Amino acid sequence: MPKEPDLKDHSTAFQYPGKWNFLRLMIILIATTLLFCKVSGDLSNSLNTSPGTGPGIIFPQDLQAIDDEVKNSLFHAEQEIAYLLSIPVDERNENNTIIRLEEILTKMDLSLLKYRALARLYPDKDLQNAAFMATEKRNAFIRDIGLNDDLYHLIKEVSPKSEYGRWLHAQEIKFFSSNGAGLTAEKRRELVSLHQRLESLQNQHLKNIRENRPVTENIDILSETLILRNKIATLLGYPAWTDYKADMQGWEMNSTGISSLLNEITPLVKEWVKPLVDELLQIKQTKNPGESFIYDYEVETLIASSNSETHPHEREFSLPFHQVISRSLSLISCLLGVRTEQITNSSLYSPGVLLFRVSDEKTCESLGWFYLDLRDREEKPAEWMTVMITGDGSKECSGGGDVNLSGKPAPVFIVSGIVDESKGHPQFGKEEYTLLFHELGHVYTRILSESGWSAQAPETLPVELTEASSHLFEYLAWTPEFLCIMTAPDGMDSARKDCKTSEESAMNGPFSPRHLWSLGRDMVISNLEYQLMNTSGNISFGEIYSGIFTDITGAEVTDEGGYLLRHPHFTGDNAGMYWIYPAGRLYGALIYSKFADNGFFNQTTWSEFSDLILMPDGRAIGAEDRVKKFLDMDNISIHEVVKKKPDLTEKDLAFIPDCIIRTYPLA
């Protein structure tokens, strides 16, 4: 049987919001910032331990406490909104209406947004259920706000004066419009009915997957969901579902832009993937000279076989838990020019969770926080994910502090996954090691890009560059230089003199057969999804899939995409978003190529990464233009990148920054 490729379910990527709360979350994500002061030079302590008080988030540990927090938060939000509605018309202004509404909802989410993650991560099933109910109540409240015509017209009639006010006003109008405010009663009922039917079909699809129902049933579901999505988009004034999804997520590009991007990068991906398939065919022909094709199910097997022949001395990969955490955070902090410290004696939602604060080394200003939750426990999901749960307003070096709603708070994330504990103690194997760097790429680049806003009206890192950064760190983790530091047996000083890297570097870089095939497969799924999301009525799923697959990869199809119909992506809340994955992989590989040319520890290149990719002057610069400027190319050329591809078996350890060597162990 053909092996079913893994699909993105956002378990190894930043988690994107669901249909009722994605716009509200987008506003939260955009609003969580700190004033930025650029740092440079060597850091004395990239990773340290502090008995600080943390970001001030409370994690209730019993059902009554959760219920009380939800009731109190919603009650105060209701009271504040009632007061806002009572303000006389002639007294309403930008501050007491537009900005005040955002403050009310932000304050509510300082207490309630965390339950979205805790519904999966609390160590007790009853607590998880209570967190799920808390999330449902929060979402219902947000949904009711979005349908409040009085509040909608109040906000709409106020004329903002400042740049930030105009930006926020546009976001709030979008929020109300997306929920049906302003529609006639008949159209609002129709919108509610469409969403209810869509949700019912999504649940039926999940049930079909669990029960291993025939894929033909899922094709019927997919066909109907495509009709429903486009009806919803039309009702809300959008040409297609992808336009609606793009606008709700705050992306720079609409459906036309996504189409243009796919048209631009698909040929680039072909230039990498088709030669790989041709090479695999030659390998196959050494045993069966008469063979003319490579089939989809053969590719990964042939890649694995080729790796075992070209890299026969591959060693077992297993690293101690605390060594990987302390060294990876020190390494990333040093290269990005920030300080990361473990915060002890702070409130945690489960035993075994670690809390870290990322700050400006010179000013001690908090740039962000993250909880690292990697130990296994009952009821915890195995997939890796990064979720933002709230922001805080602390500015002091000691950590902690009350939330200041008039300031720009630092974002707080949870990074969750499970490491191997089969030998009685936590260890990082190959997969866990890769996923850790992937998720840390999400966290640090999100923290830095959001802390770098200088204008009043916030701008976010383009979503495809968020994914590109996570892939960049995933690729860097397997370079000889990084591996020397991560695996050095006698501490960081020994990395220079007695480092022995395995052959894993050549097998896990962005130009390796495994990653090139993943890029090609993601490109196939993205093109397929885009066509589906802009189609109404019955679909020829297998025919469309087969044509796209062979066109991009050169391999022949046997499965006709059946594995995709056994995955919830196309009918779930994140349908219409798959294009970010091949774009992220491609941009990540291109960014990596400059580090490979200049040195993975080159501080000038790291500064350019921060200044040109994460925080460029003129924050409206798109992803492609940022990458071009970073690479100093007028046009992105795959041929130029491949031509300069380095031999990664030769490591360059001439310079290891002192801030990497002076590593402090975890508490």
Side-chain angles (χ1 to χ4, degrees):
M1 289 294 291
K3 180 180 178 181
E4 295 181 8
D6 293 333
L7 272 184
K8 305 294 186 306
D9 59 0
H10 305 291
S11 60
T12 58
F14 184 79
Q15 296 242 317
Y16 298 94
K19 67 171 180 262
W20 282 115
N21 53 334
F22 49 58
L23 181 59
R24 177 70 208 129
L25 284 173
M26 181 194 73
I27 295 174
I28 296 283
L29 290 170
I30 294 175
T32 53
T33 66
L34 268 176
L35 296 176
F36 173 74
C37 179
K38 183 179 177 183
V39 300
S40 61
D42 186 39
L43 310 181
S44 59
N45 297 321
S46 291
L47 180 64
N48 209 336
T49 301
S50 170
T53 57
I57 299 176
I58 298 172
F59 298 106
Q61 295 297 318
D62 62 75
L63 304 183
Q64 187 61 52
I66 294 174
D67 189 55
D68 289 344
E69 183 174 47
V70 173
K71 287 181 178 178
N72 289 336
S73 296
L74 295 179
F75 174 77
H76 288 298
E78 288 173 352
Q79 295 293 105
E80 293 282 357
I81 288 175
Y83 175 76
L84 191 154
L85 287 167
S86 72
I87 299 174
V89 175
D90 59 348
E91 295 181 14
R92 294 171 184 168
N93 57 48
E94 172 185 302
N95 289 322
N96 65 17
T97 53
I98 299 171
I99 294 177
R100 185 56 190 153
L101 176 60
E102 173 62 11
E103 291 175 345
I104 293 168
L105 297 181
T106 298
K107 183 178 180 180
M108 178 190 73
D109 272 340
L110 289 171
S111 297
L112 302 187
L113 191 59
K114 65 193 176 195
Y115 288 114
R116 174 171 167 259
L118 296 178
R120 308 181 73 191
L121 297 178
Y122 259 138
D124 175 85
K125 192 63 177 178
D126 290 337
L127 291 176
Q128 288 184 7
N129 291 335
F132 176 80
M133 293 304 300
T135 301
E136 289 291 294
K137 291 175 182 178
R138 179 258 179 205
N139 291 347
F141 181 82
I142 292 294
R143 187 162 56 245
D144 290 342
I145 293 295
L147 290 170
N148 189 321
D149 277 333
D150 291 337
L151 189 57
Y152 168 62
H153 289 297
L154 182 154
I155 296 295
K156 191 175 182 180
E157 292 166 3
V158 174
S159 299
K161 305 299 182 183
S162 68
E163 182 183 0
Y164 174 70
R166 287 190 292 272
W167 171 83
L168 186 57
H169 185 256
Q171 303 307 310
E172 291 180 351
I173 294 301
K174 185 190 299 183
F175 164 70
F176 284 107
S177 299
S178 69
N179 282 285
L183 293 178
T184 64
E186 181 181 355
K187 288 187 175 181
R188 187 179 294 180
R189 286 193 295 271
E190 182 183 359
L191 181 64
V192 170
S193 176
L194 290 170
H195 275 300
Q196 288 175 340
R197 178 57 180 163
L198 182 61
E199 184 174 353
S200 174
L201 288 171
Q202 290 174 183
N203 291 336
Q204 183 61 50
H205 190 195
L206 290 173
K207 182 180 179 182
N208 287 355
I209 293 171
R210 287 194 301 268
E211 296 178 356
N212 197 27
R213 303 286 298 171
V215 295
T216 52
E217 295 184 17
N218 291 337
I219 289 179
D220 293 338
I221 290 175
L222 176 59
S223 297
E224 186 175 351
T225 60
L226 295 175
I227 296 172
L228 292 172
R229 292 183 194 282
N230 283 304
K231 283 185 176 181
I232 291 170
T234 301
L235 197 59
L236 294 173
Y238 294 91
W241 175 263
T242 44
D243 292 277
Y244 169 62
K245 194 71 174 180
D247 197 25
M248 294 303 97
Q249 293 289 347
W251 296 338
E252 295 174 347
M253 62 183 74
N254 56 18
S255 182
T256 302
I258 295 171
S259 177
S260 298
L261 176 71
L262 292 176
N263 289 337
E264 184 172 352
I265 68 174
T266 298
L268 301 180
V269 173
K270 286 183 184 180
E271 290 185 43
W272 266 347
V273 177
K274 281 196 170 183
L276 167 65
V277 173
D278 290 341
E279 290 178 12
L280 295 178
L281 177 59
Q282 293 176 18
I283 294 173
K284 182 180 177 182
Q285 288 173 336
T286 58
K287 296 181 179 179
N288 301 287
E291 294 289 347
S292 303
F293 304 105
I294 288 290
Y295 294 98
D296 46 9
Y297 65 89
E298 297 178 304
V299 174
E300 293 185 13
T301 301
L302 287 169
I303 289 175
S305 175
S306 176
N307 283 339
S308 65
E309 291 179 6
T310 56
H311 305 286
H313 304 298
E314 179 187 356
R315 299 176 299 176
E316 180 182 356
F317 188 91
S318 181
L319 293 176
F321 180 85
H322 284 70
Q323 176 177 316
V324 171
I325 299 301
S326 60
R327 294 187 186 184
S328 62
L329 299 185
S330 291
L331 179 54
I332 293 171
S333 298
C334 177
L335 296 174
L336 290 174
V338 296
R339 174 191 179 98
T340 301
E341 58 186 335
Q342 183 186 358
I343 303 299
T344 58
N345 303 324
S346 181
S347 174
L348 302 172
Y349 58 86
S350 178
V353 176
L354 306 174
L355 172 63
F356 296 93
R357 173 177 177 257
V358 180
S359 61
D360 185 312
E361 178 70 15
K362 292 183 177 179
T363 67
C364 290
E365 190 174 48
S366 292
L367 303 178
W369 307 74
F370 63 94
Y371 294 86
L372 195 57
D373 183 359
L374 303 182
R375 302 296 298 271
D376 195 8
R377 58 179 177 270
E378 191 175 357
E379 306 294 350
K380 181 184 175 183
E383 64 265 27
W384 288 64
M385 59 183 177
T386 295
V387 186
M388 192 186 114
I389 58 171
T390 188
D392 96 302
S394 67
K395 298 289 195 293
E396 302 301 323
C397 286
S398 60
D402 295 330
V403 171
N404 179 2
L405 289 176
S406 64
K408 295 183 178 180
V412 184
F413 298 89
I414 291 177
V415 177
S416 176
I418 293 179
V419 298
D420 180 26
E421 300 190 41
S422 60
K423 296 180 180 179
H425 52 276
Q427 296 273 324
F428 278 87
K430 294 178 185 177
E431 183 178 7
E432 298 89 357
Y433 176 77
T434 302
L435 291 173
L436 174 68
F437 273 87
H438 185 101
E439 300 303 333
L440 292 179
H442 276 305
V443 168
Y444 277 92
T445 54
R446 287 298 303 276
I447 287 173
L448 281 178
S449 63
E450 293 183 10
S451 71
W453 293 335
S454 57
Q456 271 196 308
E459 296 183 44
T460 58
L461 182 68
V463 65
E464 60 269 44
L465 288 185
T466 300
E467 191 65 21
S469 298
S470 65
H471 280 293
L472 170 65
F473 279 82
E474 179 182 330
Y475 303 146
L476 291 172
W478 290 101
T479 61
E481 290 85 344
F482 272 58
L483 281 173
C484 280
I485 289 174
M486 297 301 297
T487 62
D490 299 322
M492 305 294 274
D493 283 314
S494 67
R496 282 194 180 101
K497 57 188 179 182
D498 59 2
C499 172
K500 294 181 176 62
T501 60
S502 71
E503 295 178 326
E504 291 293 338
S505 297
M507 297 166 57
N508 290 280
F511 311 108
S512 66
R514 183 173 68 87
H515 277 295
L516 291 180
W517 180 247
S518 295
L519 172 61
R521 193 180 61 208
D522 282 351
M523 198 76 255
V524 169
I525 298 171
S526 298
N527 279 275
L528 172 65
E529 181 194 60
Y530 184 80
Q531 286 195 28
L532 294 177
M533 292 302 149
N534 288 274
T535 300
S536 296
N538 295 327
I539 56 172
S540 300
F541 184 89
E543 182 179 343
I544 297 173
Y545 171 83
S546 299
I548 294 173
F549 188 96
T550 301
D551 177 60
I552 291 177
T553 69
E556 296 295 315
V557 173
T558 59
D559 183 75
E560 293 192 339
Y563 67 93
L564 296 172
L565 295 168
R566 293 188 287 272
H567 189 278
H569 176 81
F570 287 157
T571 58
D573 288 334
N574 293 315
M577 297 174 60
Y578 209 92
W579 65 274
I580 68 174
Y581 295 110
R585 281 186 181 275
L586 179 62
Y587 288 146
L590 293 171
I591 294 168
Y592 171 96
S593 70
K594 182 166 182 174
F595 284 102
D597 285 343
N598 297 343
F600 296 111
F601 299 145
N602 186 293
Q603 289 182 315
T604 299
T605 307
W606 279 102
S607 294
E608 290 175 350
F609 173 71
S610 294
D611 295 341
L612 301 178
I613 298 293
L614 301 182
M615 299 169 288
D617 292 332
R619 305 302 297 284
I621 300 174
E624 183 179 348
D625 288 335
R626 295 188 194 201
V627 174
K628 287 179 182 177
K629 194 167 184 180
F630 178 73
L631 297 176
D632 195 21
M633 288 182 175
D634 293 330
N635 294 292
I636 295 177
S637 171
I638 296 296
H639 292 299
E640 287 298 313
V641 171
V642 172
K643 188 167 63 178
K644 296 188 298 182
K645 184 173 65 175
D647 180 3
L648 294 184
T649 60
E650 296 295 327
K651 56 187 177 295
D652 179 10
L653 298 177
F655 171 66
I656 299 180
D658 287 342
C659 56
I660 296 176
I661 294 175
R662 290 196 290 273
T663 301
Y664 288 78
L666 298 178

